[in-house]
Amino acid sequence: QDKARPKGSKVAPCDDEPAPAAPPASLDLVLRVDVSDDTARKRALGRRLDPQSGTLYHLEYDPPPDEPGLHERLVAVADAADAEVLRPALASYGDAEAPLAEWLGGLDVLLALDGESSFEGVALEAEKAVGELRERKQQREQERAAEAARAAQLAAE
C-alpha cells in the first residue's frame, strides 16, 4: 500500500530521500530574508488594502497618502492581519526552515539577507548578490567556451 506522503518542500528532498549531488539545473540562488518573529508580525499586521484601487499599504513603512476617503476604505489584509493565523504560520516556518537551510547551504545556493534593515538596504543586498552570480556564470561560460575551443584545436591537429 502506498502511504500518503506529507506535504513538504517542492525543492528539497524528503527525509527518506537522498539529497541530489548538485542543485536542480534551474536553481542558482535562493535569497532568504531573515527577520525576527516580532518584525514579521509587525509587518504583517500593519498591511492595509485599498479595495477600490487594489493598492497595498503599510501603516508604518508605506503609509497611504492623505486623500479624501482613502483611510476610511482601507481594510486589513486577510490572514496577514489575523494573529491567530500568523502565529502557527511563523511556527511552521520555524520548524521547516532549518532542514531546508541546511540542504540549500550544502548546495551553495543559499544567501541570507538581514531583513531587519530597510527595504532599500535589503533590495541593494539582493541586487548585489544577483549581479555577482551573473558575473560568476558569465566567467564559467567563458572558461567552458575557451576549453572547448582548445579541445577542438587539439582534435584538429
Side-chain angles (χ1 to χ4, degrees), residues 37 39 70 99 104 125 145:
D37 284 358
T39 298
L70 175 60
L104 291 168
E125 276 190 74

Side-chain angles (χ1 to χ4, degrees), residues 15-89:
D15 290 339
D16 58 347
E17 295 177 11
S26 62
L27 187 61
D28 294 321
L29 179 65
V30 175
L31 297 175
R32 184 186 69 214
V33 181
D34 291 337
V35 295
S36 68
D37 284 358
D38 287 340
T39 298
R41 269 189 224 89
K42 183 177 181 181
R43 289 180 181 173
L45 297 174
R47 295 176 64 206
R48 297 294 183 269
L49 171 70
D50 175 4
Q52 185 175 323
S53 68
T55 305
L56 283 172
Y57 298 100
H58 190 279
L59 297 177
E60 183 178 342
Y61 302 112
D62 185 20
D66 288 327
E67 294 178 8
L70 175 60
H71 289 271
E72 292 76 22
R73 69 176 183 256
L74 292 179
V75 295
V77 175
D79 291 343
D82 184 350
E84 294 308 312
V85 171
L86 193 56
R87 190 174 298 114

Side-chain angles (χ1 to χ4, degrees), residues 85-134:
V85 171
L86 193 56
R87 190 174 298 114
L90 290 172
S92 178
Y93 174 79
D95 292 343
E97 191 276 330
L100 184 59
E102 182 180 340
W103 182 74
L104 291 168
L107 299 175
D108 198 27
V109 296
L110 179 63
L111 177 64
L113 303 176
D114 178 12
E116 299 288 340
S117 66
S118 69
F119 174 81
E120 292 79 12
V122 173
L124 285 173
E125 276 190 74
E127 287 175 17
K128 179 181 173 190
V130 171
E132 290 171 354
L133 173 67
R134 280 191 189 124

